[in-house]
């Protein structure tokens, strides 16, 4: 069993179509899985510097966010190191003002440091003309792959995750089914 303090930040605005990816993943993780007390899952909206305190208290931080500009089809899942994400702009950039890399940069300035991993998905539309609470079809259909990627990362780190419905412990090769 892993004793690391881990935070999972699900980033996004569920009122803005595919930008709501993070909150959807948050809902799936909290509804379907049980995590040890050492793992905290948060729907952080649009991540800001107020998350800085978590870097001090965590050993490992995972972010889940919508990404754009990758050149890949909508629904493509990405896993990358925080430093692989360009700060504020460019391909695979977070759609929000502050990425995990930016958060870690700020934390280093005040003497905090921890590890991190980013999981994202190429969106089809993150800026609808009207408030829209939904995901586009290709993004919605790929949410299970993103959830599986996050779960696989946690299992690799030795975190014990349990499927609430059956009490089954998640192991490599687990496949997530969307709950509605």
């Amino acid at each position: 069993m892993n004793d690391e303090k881990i935070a999972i930040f699900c980033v996004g605005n569920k009122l803005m179509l595919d930008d709501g990816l993070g909150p959807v993943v948050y809902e799936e993780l909290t509804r379907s899985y049980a995590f040890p007390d050492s793992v905290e899952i948060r729907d952080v909206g649009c991540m800001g510097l107020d998350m800085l305190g978590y870097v001090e208290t965590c050993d490992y931080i995972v972010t889940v966010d919508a990404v754009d500009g990758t050149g890949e089809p909508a629904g493509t899942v990405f896993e990358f190191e925080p430093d692989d994400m360009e700060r504020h702009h460019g391909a695979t950039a977070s759609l929000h003002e502050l990425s995990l890399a930016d958060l870690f940069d700020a934390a280093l300035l005040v003497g905090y440091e921890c590890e991190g991993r980013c999981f994202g998905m190429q969106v089809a539309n993150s800026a609808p003309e009207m408030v829209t609470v939904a995901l586009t079809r290709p993004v919605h259909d790929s949410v299970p792959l993103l959830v599986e990627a996050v779960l696989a990362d946690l299992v690799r780190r030795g975190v014990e995750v349990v499927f609430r419905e059956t009490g089954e412990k998640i192991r490599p090769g687990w496949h997530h089914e969307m709950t509605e």
Side-chain angles (χ1 to χ4, degrees):
M1 184 122 131
N2 186 327
D3 292 333
E4 289 183 303
K5 173 72 173 148
I6 297 172
I8 302 170
F9 294 157
C10 297
V11 183
N13 181 348
K14 67 190 314 180
L15 301 176
M16 297 299 290
L17 207 60
D18 286 347
D19 189 43
L21 176 65
V24 168
V25 171
Y26 169 83
E27 291 167 3
E28 285 294 309
L29 289 172
T30 57
R31 179 178 35 240
S32 300
Y33 301 96
F35 297 86
D37 292 340
S38 61
V39 176
E40 183 176 358
I41 306 169
R42 298 183 60 103
D43 179 349
V44 298
C46 296
M47 188 164 59
L49 282 176
D50 56 326
M51 300 284 100
L52 192 58
Y54 281 95
V55 178
E56 179 185 23
T57 62
C58 290
D59 300 302
Y60 188 67
I61 297 175
V62 172
T63 58
V64 177
D65 198 357
V67 296
D68 203 3
T70 67
E72 296 299 323
T76 301
V77 174
F78 296 91
E79 176 181 353
F80 43 92
E81 298 288 334
D83 283 341
D84 292 341
M85 177 179 263
E86 291 185 36
R87 274 94 168 141
H88 298 301
H89 62 312
T92 71
S94 165
L95 296 177
H96 301 97
E97 288 185 24
L98 188 74
S99 72
L100 188 58
D102 296 318
L103 181 62
F104 283 175
D105 287 347
L108 280 173
L109 290 174
V110 293
Y112 306 153
E113 190 172 4
C114 77
E115 292 181 70
R117 197 88 184 133
C118 303
F119 293 89
M121 184 186 297
Q122 174 61 49
V123 297
N125 184 341
S126 62
E129 291 181 22
M130 300 178 3
V131 169
T132 308
V133 180
L135 298 176
T136 59
R137 179 57 47 196
V139 171
H140 176 273
D141 290 349
S142 295
V143 167
L145 296 174
L146 184 54
V147 169
E148 288 172 14
V150 172
L151 292 172
D153 184 60
L154 295 173
V155 168
R156 278 191 307 264
R157 291 191 75 83
V159 176
E160 188 171 295
V161 181
V162 175
F163 185 52
R164 289 185 190 278
E165 187 175 308
T166 64
E168 180 182 359
K169 185 176 168 184
I170 305 308
R171 301 199 183 282
W174 174 262
H175 294 289
H176 174 76
E177 301 285 330
M178 284 287 283
T179 55
E180 299 294 332

CSV table of all heavy atoms in Angstrom, one decimal, residues 3 5 11 21 29 38 40 52 56 59 64 67 84 90 94 104 125 128 143 147 149-150 159-160 167-168 172 178:
chain,number,residue,atom,x,y,z
A,3,ASP,N,1.8,5.1,0.9
A,3,ASP,CA,1.5,6.1,1.9
A,3,ASP,C,1.7,7.5,1.4
A,3,ASP,O,1.6,8.4,2.2
A,3,ASP,CB,2.4,5.8,3.1
A,3,ASP,CG,2.1,4.5,3.8
A,3,ASP,OD1,0.9,4.1,3.8
A,3,ASP,OD2,3.0,4.0,4.5
A,5,LYS,N,1.0,11.1,-0.1
A,5,LYS,CA,-0.2,12.0,-0.1
A,5,LYS,C,-0.3,12.5,-1.6
A,5,LYS,O,0.6,13.0,-2.2
A,5,LYS,CB,0.1,13.3,0.8
A,5,LYS,CG,-1.0,14.3,0.7
A,5,LYS,CD,-2.3,13.9,1.3
A,5,LYS,CE,-3.2,15.1,1.3
A,5,LYS,NZ,-4.6,14.8,1.2
A,11,VAL,N,-9.7,19.7,-13.7
A,11,VAL,CA,-9.8,21.1,-14.1
A,11,VAL,C,-10.8,21.3,-15.2
A,11,VAL,O,-10.9,20.5,-16.1
A,11,VAL,CB,-8.4,21.5,-14.6
A,11,VAL,CG1,-8.4,23.0,-14.9
A,11,VAL,CG2,-7.3,21.2,-13.6
A,21,LEU,N,-14.7,18.6,-19.2
A,21,LEU,CA,-14.1,17.3,-19.2
A,21,LEU,C,-13.6,16.9,-17.7
A,21,LEU,O,-13.9,15.9,-17.2
A,21,LEU,CB,-12.9,17.1,-20.2
A,21,LEU,CG,-12.2,15.8,-20.1
A,21,LEU,CD1,-13.1,14.6,-20.5
A,21,LEU,CD2,-11.0,15.9,-21.0
A,29,LEU,N,-14.8,9.4,-11.1
A,29,LEU,CA,-13.9,8.8,-10.1
A,29,LEU,C,-14.6,8.8,-8.7
A,29,LEU,O,-14.5,7.7,-8.1
A,29,LEU,CB,-12.6,9.7,-10.0
A,29,LEU,CG,-11.7,9.6,-11.2
A,29,LEU,CD1,-10.6,10.6,-11.1
A,29,LEU,CD2,-11.1,8.2,-11.4
A,38,SER,N,-5.3,8.8,1.8
A,38,SER,CA,-4.1,9.5,1.3
A,38,SER,C,-4.3,10.1,-0.1
A,38,SER,O,-3.5,10.9,-0.6
A,38,SER,CB,-2.9,8.6,1.3
A,38,SER,OG,-3.1,7.6,0.4
A,40,GLU,N,-6.7,12.6,-2.4
A,40,GLU,CA,-7.8,13.5,-2.4
A,40,GLU,C,-8.1,13.9,-3.8
A,40,GLU,O,-7.2,14.3,-4.6
A,40,GLU,CB,-7.4,14.8,-1.6
A,40,GLU,CG,-8.5,15.8,-1.5
A,40,GLU,CD,-8.1,17.0,-0.7
A,40,GLU,OE1,-7.0,17.0,-0.1
A,40,GLU,OE2,-8.9,17.9,-0.6
A,52,LEU,N,-1.6,26.4,-4.7
A,52,LEU,CA,-0.2,26.3,-4.3
A,52,LEU,C,0.1,25.6,-3.0
A,52,LEU,O,1.0,24.8,-2.8
A,52,LEU,CB,0.4,27.8,-4.2
A,52,LEU,CG,1.9,27.9,-4.1
A,52,LEU,CD1,2.6,27.3,-5.2
A,52,LEU,CD2,2.2,29.4,-4.0
A,56,GLU,N,2.8,21.9,-1.2
A,56,GLU,CA,3.5,21.8,0.0
A,56,GLU,C,3.1,20.5,0.8
A,56,GLU,O,3.9,19.8,1.4
A,56,GLU,CB,3.2,23.0,0.9
A,56,GLU,CG,3.9,22.9,2.3
A,56,GLU,CD,3.6,24.0,3.2
A,56,GLU,OE1,2.5,24.7,3.0
A,56,GLU,OE2,4.4,24.3,4.1
A,59,ASP,N,2.8,14.7,-2.1
A,59,ASP,CA,4.0,14.0,-2.7
A,59,ASP,C,3.8,13.9,-4.2
A,59,ASP,O,4.8,13.9,-4.9
A,59,ASP,CB,4.2,12.6,-2.1
A,59,ASP,CG,4.4,12.7,-0.6
A,59,ASP,OD1,5.4,13.3,-0.2
A,59,ASP,OD2,3.6,12.0,0.1
A,64,VAL,N,-6.1,16.5,-14.5
A,64,VAL,CA,-7.0,16.0,-15.6
A,64,VAL,C,-7.6,17.2,-16.2
A,64,VAL,O,-8.3,18.0,-15.5
A,64,VAL,CB,-8.0,15.0,-15.1
A,64,VAL,CG1,-8.9,14.6,-16.2
A,64,VAL,CG2,-7.4,13.9,-14.3
A,67,VAL,N,-7.4,19.6,-23.4
A,67,VAL,CA,-6.3,20.2,-24.1
A,67,VAL,C,-6.8,20.4,-25.6
A,67,VAL,O,-7.7,19.8,-26.1
A,67,VAL,CB,-5.0,19.3,-24.1
A,67,VAL,CG1,-4.5,19.2,-22.7
A,67,VAL,CG2,-5.2,18.0,-24.7
A,84,ASP,N,6.4,18.9,-19.9
A,84,ASP,CA,6.1,18.7,-21.3
A,84,ASP,C,5.0,19.6,-21.8
A,84,ASP,O,4.8,19.8,-23.0
A,84,ASP,CB,5.7,17.2,-21.6
A,84,ASP,CG,6.8,16.2,-21.4
A,84,ASP,OD1,8.0,16.7,-21.5
A,84,ASP,OD2,6.5,15.0,-21.3
A,90,GLY,N,0.1,27.1,-26.8
A,90,GLY,CA,0.7,26.2,-27.7
A,90,GLY,C,0.1,24.8,-27.6
A,90,GLY,O,-0.8,24.6,-26.8
A,94,SER,N,-2.9,23.4,-21.6
A,94,SER,CA,-4.2,23.4,-20.8
A,94,SER,C,-5.0,24.6,-21.4
A,94,SER,O,-4.5,25.6,-21.7
A,94,SER,CB,-3.9,23.6,-19.3
A,94,SER,OG,-5.0,24.0,-18.7
A,104,PHE,N,3.8,24.2,-10.4
A,104,PHE,CA,5.1,23.7,-9.9
A,104,PHE,C,6.2,24.8,-9.9
A,104,PHE,O,7.0,24.9,-9.0
A,104,PHE,CB,5.6,22.5,-10.6
A,104,PHE,CG,4.8,21.2,-10.2
A,104,PHE,CD1,5.1,20.1,-10.9
A,104,PHE,CD2,3.9,21.2,-9.2
A,104,PHE,CE1,4.4,18.9,-10.5
A,104,PHE,CE2,3.2,20.1,-8.8
A,104,PHE,CZ,3.5,18.9,-9.5
A,125,ASN,N,-14.8,21.0,-29.0
A,125,ASN,CA,-15.3,22.4,-28.8
A,125,ASN,C,-15.2,22.8,-27.3
A,125,ASN,O,-16.0,22.2,-26.5
A,125,ASN,CB,-16.7,22.5,-29.3
A,125,ASN,CG,-17.2,23.9,-29.3
A,125,ASN,OD1,-16.7,24.8,-28.6
A,125,ASN,ND2,-18.3,24.2,-30.1
A,128,PRO,N,-18.2,27.0,-26.6
A,128,PRO,CA,-19.5,27.2,-27.3
A,128,PRO,C,-20.0,28.6,-27.2
A,128,PRO,O,-19.6,29.4,-26.4
A,128,PRO,CB,-20.4,26.2,-26.5
A,128,PRO,CG,-19.8,26.2,-25.1
A,128,PRO,CD,-18.3,26.3,-25.3
A,143,VAL,N,-14.2,9.3,-22.5
A,143,VAL,CA,-14.0,9.5,-21.0
A,143,VAL,C,-13.5,8.3,-20.3
A,143,VAL,O,-12.6,8.3,-19.5
A,143,VAL,CB,-15.2,10.1,-20.4
A,143,VAL,CG1,-15.2,10.1,-18.8
A,143,VAL,CG2,-15.4,11.6,-20.8
A,147,VAL,N,-10.3,8.0,-17.7
A,147,VAL,CA,-10.4,7.5,-16.4
A,147,VAL,C,-9.5,6.3,-16.2
A,147,VAL,O,-8.8,6.2,-15.2
A,147,VAL,CB,-11.9,7.1,-16.1
A,147,VAL,CG1,-12.0,6.3,-14.8
A,147,VAL,CG2,-12.8,8.3,-16.0
A,149,ALA,N,-6.7,5.7,-17.7
A,149,ALA,CA,-5.3,6.2,-17.7
A,149,ALA,C,-5.0,6.7,-16.3
A,149,ALA,O,-3.9,6.4,-15.8
A,149,ALA,CB,-5.1,7.3,-18.7
A,150,VAL,N,-5.9,7.5,-15.7
A,150,VAL,CA,-5.6,8.0,-14.3
A,150,VAL,C,-5.5,6.8,-13.3
A,150,VAL,O,-4.6,6.8,-12.5
A,150,VAL,CB,-6.7,9.0,-13.9
A,150,VAL,CG1,-6.6,9.4,-12.5
A,150,VAL,CG2,-6.7,10.2,-14.8
A,159,VAL,N,-1.2,2.7,-5.3
A,159,VAL,CA,-2.4,3.1,-4.7
A,159,VAL,C,-3.5,2.0,-4.8
A,159,VAL,O,-3.7,1.5,-5.9
A,159,VAL,CB,-2.9,4.4,-5.3
A,159,VAL,CG1,-4.3,4.8,-4.7
A,159,VAL,CG2,-1.9,5.5,-5.1
A,160,GLU,N,-4.1,1.7,-3.7
A,160,GLU,CA,-5.2,0.7,-3.8
A,160,GLU,C,-6.5,1.4,-4.1
A,160,GLU,O,-7.0,2.2,-3.3
A,160,GLU,CB,-5.3,-0.1,-2.4
A,160,GLU,CG,-6.3,-1.2,-2.5
A,160,GLU,CD,-6.2,-2.1,-1.3
A,160,GLU,OE1,-5.1,-2.7,-1.0
A,160,GLU,OE2,-7.2,-2.1,-0.5
A,167,GLY,N,-16.8,-4.0,-5.0
A,167,GLY,CA,-15.7,-4.1,-4.1
A,167,GLY,C,-14.4,-4.7,-4.6
A,167,GLY,O,-13.5,-4.9,-3.9
A,168,GLU,N,-14.4,-4.8,-6.0
A,168,GLU,CA,-13.2,-5.4,-6.6
A,168,GLU,C,-12.1,-4.4,-6.6
A,168,GLU,O,-12.3,-3.2,-6.9
A,168,GLU,CB,-13.6,-5.7,-8.1
A,168,GLU,CG,-12.5,-6.2,-8.9
A,168,GLU,CD,-13.0,-6.5,-10.4
A,168,GLU,OE1,-14.1,-6.2,-10.7
A,168,GLU,OE2,-12.1,-6.9,-11.2
A,172,PRO,N,-4.1,-3.8,-13.1
A,172,PRO,CA,-3.7,-3.5,-14.5
A,172,PRO,C,-4.7,-4.2,-15.5
A,172,PRO,O,-5.1,-5.3,-15.2
A,172,PRO,CB,-2.3,-4.0,-14.6
A,172,PRO,CG,-1.7,-3.9,-13.2
A,172,PRO,CD,-2.9,-4.3,-12.3
A,178,MET,N,-18.8,4.0,-18.3
A,178,MET,CA,-19.4,5.2,-17.9
A,178,MET,C,-20.7,5.0,-17.1
A,178,MET,O,-21.4,4.1,-17.5
A,178,MET,CB,-19.8,6.1,-19.1
A,178,MET,CG,-18.6,6.8,-19.8
A,178,MET,SD,-17.9,8.1,-18.8
A,178,MET,CE,-19.2,9.4,-19.1
